[in-house]
Amino acid sequence: MRRFSDGETLIIINEVVRGKHMYIVQTCSVPTSDHIIELLQMVSTARGAGAARITAIIPYFGYKHHRRGLPISSTSQSRFIWSAAFDFAKLLQVVGVDSVVSVDLQHPGQGHEACFFDTLIPVESLYSGRMMAEYFYDNIYKEIVEPNKLVVVATEPQFAKKARSFQKYFKKRTNENVGFGVYLKEETNTSTNKYAIKHNAVIRPAEILGDIKGCDVVIVDDVVNSGATLSSVCHTLKKEGAKRIFICASHGLFTGKICMFN
């Protein structure tokens, strides 16, 4: 790949790919938009070079955690459901991708990016729960001196299934009772009352569903941007009596100012 002074790129494939199945590996980490354009150019170049089939392997699917509604009517409060991940998927289809492999795409009905593709384009999602559990057991857990009871905690309810997969693997490998918990972040007053907004009144403080007192805790998460949520989870866990805390996340973006937990 050649990058020009104005930021434009030129993709050149220095091998004969005509009639071959070509795999293109490209993540969509920062700078996300640049990586997406590079991927689209690589797919288009491979198609133009005569590749018989193109599989895009995208470990981090761009815009996967952007699912926002844009208000279009102040009268009826109707909202347009918009997702940039949908736009990304359509762009991949247009340039000629044949199949996609990614990591930890969510399930249908929860903003699942796979449903944005045409039914003729197979999308395979690799789930990291078991892989992270295997790594943690082989490289960290075995080295712990005098381990306490282990509890697996999901950072939010939608990651409960991923955390359950982690928990089940550990129960099978250790033959011990591995606990399970879910972090519920604090809820603040969403009232339009100016006093409530100014003082950010807390309706329900953050809490952990599950008993973690005196236990070692493994936090299972998905995307980590600044680490603000993880910092809050760690503070709550320590407050509830957790001993050692370990974090397993599939997409460590670490963008902007990183929050540190002491």
Side-chain angles (χ1 to χ4, degrees), residues 101-145:
V101 179
S102 191
V103 178
D104 284 343
L105 298 183
Q106 290 190 330
H107 297 287
Q110 297 178 345
H112 186 15
E113 293 77 16
C115 69
F116 297 148
F117 287 90
D118 189 279
T119 54
L120 298 177
I121 298 179
V123 179
E124 181 178 0
S125 179
L126 305 178
Y127 294 102
S128 62
R130 182 182 176 87
M131 291 184 283
M132 292 193 300
E134 290 175 350
Y135 180 87
F136 183 81
Y137 179 82
D138 293 332
N139 298 277
I140 300 176
Y141 184 77
K142 290 181 179 179
E143 305 299 325
I144 297 177
V145 179

Side-chain angles (χ1 to χ4, degrees), residues 205-225:
E207 61 178 318
I208 303 292
L209 296 182
D211 183 15
I212 52 92
K213 187 174 182 179
C215 300
D216 291 334
V217 175
V218 178
I219 300 174
V220 178
D221 202 356
D222 184 10
V223 178
V224 180
N225 280 312

